Amino acid sequence: MLPLKIESLAVSFPGLATPVLAIDNLAIAAGSRIALTGGSGSGKSTLINIIAGLERIRTGRVVWGEQNLADLSEGRRDRWRAANIGLVMQDFHLFPGLSALDNILLPARLSRVASADVIKRAHMLLDTVGLKRPEQHVETMSRGEMQRVAIARAILRRPGVIIADEPTASLDLESGAAVGDLLLSVASYAGSTLIIATHDQRLVERLDRRLLLKGGRITGDTDHKEIAA
Amino acid sequence: MIGFILADLRRLWLGGAVVILLVALATALGVAVTLQERSLRLGSARAADKFDLVIGAAGSETQLILSSIFLQPAPLPLVDGAVLSKLAADPRVAWAAPVGFGDSFAGYPIVGTTTSLVSSTTSGFTEGKMFALEGEALLGAAVNLPLGAEIKPMHGTAETGGNTHASPAYKVVGKLQPTGTPWDRAILVPIQAVWHVHGLGEEHGHHDEGEHHEGEAGQAEPVAQISASQGRKYALALGAASSRHVEEEHHGSVDPDAPIVETFGAGTPGLPAILVKPKTIADAYRLRQEYRTGSTLGVFPGEVLTGLYATLGDAKMVLSAVAAGSQGLVAAALVLVTVIHVGQRRRQIGALRAFGAPRGSVFLIVWLELFVLVALGVGIGFLLGLGAAHIGSQVFTAKSGVILPVGFTREDLRLALILLGFAAVLAAVPALLAYRQSPATALRA
């Protein structure tokens, strides 16, 4: 469970006169559940990349707990992300040819932290996300099942933060709802801070707070009561 | 990590197989050239090993060695028989043996020689015994004839239009153990019989031949200069080209029951070559020097082979350059393909890092995948090259009798290590691209 504080963040790309993302001040409480919304090109993905430590921060501060990501080298950022962030992407990014269990364990194995306890937890998580066949190859699964595997992978190392980028966008309504339920329940169970970039209004309504992005700036910040209203 | 790499290679097995095949073929080409050239050197050197010094008439050194040691059918000028008498009496000579050839049977060359040469250059008999009579013959290990078989000599070879002598057949009395030399394909008969078949020498080794050798002492003109009256002398070393001419003058006969005589007096007929075993190395050099003047030519087989190896080396250099060129092209193609491949897999590689794989692991995965493929290709290429060299050697051995020893040496191990080192560097190119790739950019791609 980690709080986030962003100060004077600006992300610019060469050739563009104005920053694609500019946030003067943003605070997210530890354990809160945030929806990031906004149209295409609003800066949602850029913000996801920045807070997940996927992009280098050149201007401003992005502080998770006590750690300012701007101070970390690329290698250290990778290590920090592996230990603290659980990522769930729209396209799952599972690896064909590997089983569900192997997909869940792959990042941990590559980081040489796949201990017996971690492997045991992977089996348990498969059960948690409702998958009964750990050895089933992911290319033989439905899209909903694939996203469940991706969620299990994201929470394997008990991250303090779960970040999901359009997790339901490529799923049918039923699967999308189930994945939404799953994300909320695992985040709640682990006490992780949950940030979801989504267009899925039903999912947004179930989150505590909504940040609306437009032109790279936060133009709306509403809490659950206001969303419900 | 290994599981991920294996799963990846299983998924992309066709592309992987093509990479392995390309590398294997390019490697095999270079390895086969190296192994074949080396085996040719070793095999020919071993074939000539037992023959320290060859003395023939003045002419081509190379042809003298090719004909006397490698039994290549070709006309040779004859050295005077008196040279053999002189050498046999020389205290510096352990043994000196004449060789007479030109006849064949069933594709096998018939070589006339002496018991001392047979005893000194072979390791004994697999069956039978040494020839003792003029009508007896020995078989080299690779001659596919049984003991007791009858051999009717043909002048020259069947392929070149040779004709069979009218004289009685030889009877096979022994089969020699393999020597790994062209002599394994030879039928050995007493030199005395060869002379008599061609109407030369003393009758049954005792009677003065008289007219056959009058005026021949000290002569060893090239074949083309031999006069008609000396035509029979020519027969001993002749290919088929002049066989008809020779047959016209054949009137010799063999007495199969006559004992062989191996003391060579003044009446000894001309010879294509005399194989000499000097007692010491110093003697060898002195004899070579003495017999390199005027009408005779003393040659160390090794020096002729050295010259041939230089030519062989040039050919190897050209072939190696071709092989290296093909390997370079394959390497360039592989770099191109893998760089494109990494580009196409940017999302997957980016995802690995995004989900927590360290950059080092990403580098290692891409590097190992390509390195494993290339290393497999190199390994298979070495085996293919070895197989090709073995097949080439077997074909050569079947034709020439020279056993070509094909095998790897430390030099090949060094080549393998160089190729693997090169593969390691080659695989690092796409691995470095993957290492430097930003995960965010890759995920967006």
Side-chain angles (χ1 to χ4, degrees), chain B residues 181-224:
Chain B
T181 72
W183 286 59
D184 283 349
R185 291 190 74 252
I187 297 167
L188 306 182
V189 298
I191 184 75
Q192 166 188 327
V194 176
W195 284 332
H196 289 165
V197 164
H198 295 89
L200 297 172
E202 299 169 43
E203 285 303 321
H204 301 150
H206 291 287
H207 309 295
D208 188 353
E209 195 192 8
E211 62 189 87
H212 292 156
H213 294 284
E214 282 174 16
E216 287 178 2
Q219 290 180 21
E221 297 90 343
V223 172

Side-chain angles (χ1 to χ4, degrees), chain B residues 4-5 8-16 19 333-350 365-367 369-370 373 429-431 433-434 437:
Chain B
F4 178 73
I5 290 171
D8 221 29
L9 291 178
R10 264 200 304 273
R11 203 165 53 87
L12 307 167
W13 68 271
L14 189 59
V19 168
L334 282 186
V335 169
L336 187 69
V337 166
T338 49
V339 166
I340 291 170
H341 182 61
V342 165
Q344 285 172 341
R345 297 181 65 193
R346 282 173 70 183
R347 278 170 68 80
Q348 194 187 33
I349 292 163
I365 285 170
V366 177
W367 183 84
E369 273 196 26
L370 185 57
L373 292 180
V429 175
L433 287 179
Q437 195 158 274

Side-chain angles (χ1 to χ4, degrees), chain B residues 396-408:
Chain B
F396 189 84
T397 302
K399 282 188 176 170
S400 70
V402 182
I403 290 178
L404 303 185
V406 177
F408 290 127

Side-chain angles (χ1 to χ4, degrees), chain B residues 18-184:
Chain B
V18 170
V19 168
I20 291 172
L21 189 70
L22 278 176
V23 174
L25 289 178
T27 307
L29 186 61
V31 169
V33 167
T34 305
L35 290 182
Q36 198 70 84
E37 188 262 355
R38 185 191 300 141
S39 69
L40 212 50
R41 279 173 193 255
L42 273 174
S44 56
R46 284 182 191 171
D49 197 33
K50 296 222 171 78
F51 305 109
D52 293 354
L53 178 62
V54 182
I55 291 173
S60 162
E61 291 185 359
T62 307
Q63 195 53 60
L64 179 61
I65 296 300
L66 289 178
S67 294
S68 60
I69 291 176
F70 296 97
L71 302 180
Q72 187 193 76
L76 273 185
L78 303 185
V79 64
D80 194 281
V83 175
L84 176 60
S85 313
K86 198 174 150 195
L87 279 166
D90 197 312
R92 295 168 298 180
V93 173
W95 53 262
V99 285
F101 30 77
D103 286 351
S104 71
F105 176 73
Y108 301 113
I110 294 175
V111 180
T113 186
T114 61
T115 54
S116 61
L117 182 135
V118 174
S119 308
S120 307
T121 58
T122 65
S123 49
F125 294 84
T126 51
E127 52 183 334
K129 59 179 180 63
M130 180 71 81
F131 51 60
L133 302 174
E134 198 171 303
E136 292 180 340
L138 301 177
L139 302 179
V143 177
N144 192 19
L145 290 171
L147 222 61
E150 286 207 335
I151 291 167
K152 279 188 173 295
M154 168 184 279
H155 195 75
T157 60
E159 291 86 359
T160 51
N163 23 19
T164 308
H165 289 291
S167 53
Y170 296 105
K171 187 184 170 195
V172 175
V173 295
K175 192 159 192 173
L176 293 161
Q177 287 189 351
T179 59
T181 72
W183 286 59
D184 283 349

Side-chain angles (χ1 to χ4, degrees), chain B residues 223-402:
Chain B
V223 172
Q225 294 172 11
I226 294 175
S227 66
S229 64
Q230 291 171 308
R232 284 166 290 181
K233 183 174 145 180
Y234 186 29
L236 295 177
L238 201 58
S242 303
S243 60
R244 188 176 300 126
H245 164 71
V246 173
E247 284 303 315
E248 284 167 7
E249 301 204 27
H250 274 169
H251 50 65
S253 65
V254 171
D255 177 358
D257 298 322
I260 55 171
V261 175
E262 293 187 344
T263 48
F264 305 105
T268 306
L271 295 157
I274 303 165
L275 303 180
V276 180
K277 178 76 179 175
K279 283 182 177 161
T280 66
I281 293 174
D283 290 338
Y285 276 92
R286 281 192 209 102
L287 286 165
R288 174 180 167 277
Q289 198 57 36
E290 275 177 32
Y291 286 89
R292 278 180 84 86
T293 51
S295 57
T296 58
L297 178 67
V299 180
F300 293 145
E303 62 185 335
V304 171
L305 289 178
T306 305
L308 290 175
Y309 293 161
T311 311
L312 202 59
D314 292 344
K316 186 206 168 192
M317 209 166 70
V318 172
L319 289 172
S320 296
V322 170
S326 70
Q327 284 161 358
L329 282 176
V330 167
L334 282 186
V335 169
L336 187 69
V337 166
T338 49
V339 166
I340 291 170
H341 182 61
V342 165
Q344 285 172 341
R345 297 181 65 193
R346 282 173 70 183
R347 278 170 68 80
Q348 194 187 33
I349 292 163
L352 274 175
R353 277 190 62 199
F355 296 122
R359 289 168 97 186
S361 296
V362 172
F363 178 93
L364 209 57
I365 285 170
V366 177
W367 183 84
L368 259 180
E369 273 196 26
L370 185 57
F371 181 75
V372 164
L373 292 180
V374 177
L376 263 176
V378 168
I380 293 170
F382 265 75
L383 292 179
L384 282 178
L386 181 68
H390 264 300
I391 291 169
S393 295
Q394 277 164 7
V395 169
F396 189 84
T397 302
K399 282 188 176 170
S400 70
V402 182

Side-chain angles (χ1 to χ4, degrees), chain A residues 91 93, chain B residues 343-347 437-445:
Chain A
D91 292 333
H93 292 289
Chain B
Q344 285 172 341
R345 297 181 65 193
R346 282 173 70 183
R347 278 170 68 80
Q437 195 158 274
S438 150
T441 314
L443 287 176
R444 267 204 303 271

Side-chain angles (χ1 to χ4, degrees), chain A residues 13 46 49 54-55 74-75 78-79 81-82 87-89 91-98 106-112 137 153 157, chain B residues 1 3-4 7-8 10-11 347-359 361 364-365 435-441 443-444:
Chain A
F13 291 132
T46 306
N49 287 342
L54 290 168
E55 295 261 27
E74 197 165 349
D78 283 349
R79 283 195 293 278
R81 182 172 58 253
L87 268 180
V88 179
M89 312 298 278
D91 292 333
F92 325 131
H93 292 289
L94 299 176
F95 297 93
L98 293 181
L106 183 63
R109 281 179 170 154
L110 292 178
S111 302
R112 296 189 182 85
H137 279 220
R153 176 180 61 190
R157 292 178 67 184
Chain B
M1 182 182 296
F4 178 73
D8 221 29
R10 264 200 304 273
R11 203 165 53 87
R347 278 170 68 80
Q348 194 187 33
I349 292 163
L352 274 175
R353 277 190 62 199
F355 296 122
R359 289 168 97 186
S361 296
L364 209 57
I365 285 170
Y435 178 87
R436 291 170 59 89
Q437 195 158 274
S438 150
T441 314
L443 287 176
R444 267 204 303 271

